Amino acid sequence: MTKIQFRRRVIVLILLCVAVGGGVVRHYAAPGTTTRDIATLLMVLWVPIIGNVIGWLIGKLPRRTPKQAPPAGFDALPKFTPHLAVELTFRRPSVPAQDVPLGPGEYRGALVLDTEGFSARWRVPQGTSLARGTPVALDIEFLSPAVAQPKFVQGTAFRVLVDESFVADGQALQLRPAHT
């Protein structure tokens, strides 16, 4: 039990004792006296605590979480459809042992313009690898091409964010027709 939980319990117990004491005094006090009125007031001090206790009990009830469909991602798309031709220069890592070329396969990240990021993926063809520090032309597919394509006019500079790191710098070369 934390300090705050302990203090809350002590406050609840003190107010409960005050309310019970007020009830006892009110029972034995003569009607219409100041003592009976003060005892009634002491009993009323318990009312805010009742709301807190009811709220705590409601919080303990099990709740069903509504089932939500996961957001559609690249896995839901039928095939790779290029939306933008870019020139990417992958940054060299700070650890020399990690300075290896990118092998063939699919890569995902976010293309970042100022404070906006757009989910994207690109592919490195089989039999090739991408050396870091060397500009290379690639096709990019956006998760939401209708939103992203207007931002990437020819010559637009951007950064590529993967996980929590910027891994590449790029420049838009040519827009491809959007296929929805």
Side-chain angles (χ1 to χ4, degrees):
M1 179 181 326
T2 66
K3 255 186 183 179
I4 292 175
Q5 290 173 331
F6 176 75
R7 288 178 182 169
R8 286 180 181 163
R9 283 191 181 176
V10 168
I11 290 169
V12 168
L13 290 174
I14 290 171
L15 288 175
L16 178 60
C17 291
V18 168
V20 169
V24 170
V25 170
R26 186 175 190 279
H27 178 71
Y28 292 108
T33 62
T34 305
T35 305
R36 186 175 173 106
D37 292 342
I38 292 174
T40 303
L41 179 64
L42 291 176
M43 287 175 56
V44 173
L45 286 176
W46 177 248
V47 173
I49 297 302
I50 292 173
N52 288 332
V53 170
I54 291 172
W56 177 79
L57 288 173
I58 289 173
K60 292 293 183 179
L61 293 175
R63 294 184 184 179
R64 280 189 258 150
T65 57
K67 291 186 178 181
Q68 296 178 351
F74 285 110
D75 297 331
L77 298 177
K79 62 179 180 136
F80 183 84
T81 306
H83 297 128
L84 178 67
V86 299
E87 180 181 85
L88 288 181
T89 305
F90 287 91
R91 297 177 179 179
R92 296 189 181 277
S94 57
V95 179
Q98 295 175 347
D99 192 8
V100 295
L102 270 68
E106 180 179 287
Y107 295 89
R108 297 178 183 184
L111 303 188
V112 179
L113 294 171
D114 295 324
T115 59
E116 293 182 290
F118 303 93
S119 295
R121 69 177 173 177
W122 61 94
R123 291 192 173 157
V124 177
Q126 288 293 336
T128 62
S129 62
L130 303 181
R132 297 176 188 269
T134 304
V136 62
L138 289 173
D139 285 329
I140 299 284
E141 179 182 26
F142 291 113
L143 188 58
S144 301
V147 175
Q149 279 186 320
K151 305 281 183 166
F152 289 90
V153 296
Q154 186 173 1
T156 302
F158 60 89
R159 295 180 292 169
V160 179
L161 179 70
V162 175
D163 294 327
E164 297 176 0
S165 302
F166 288 106
V167 298
D169 299 300
Q171 183 175 3
L173 298 178
Q174 180 184 8
L175 285 173
R176 307 276 192 222
H179 300 287
T180 55

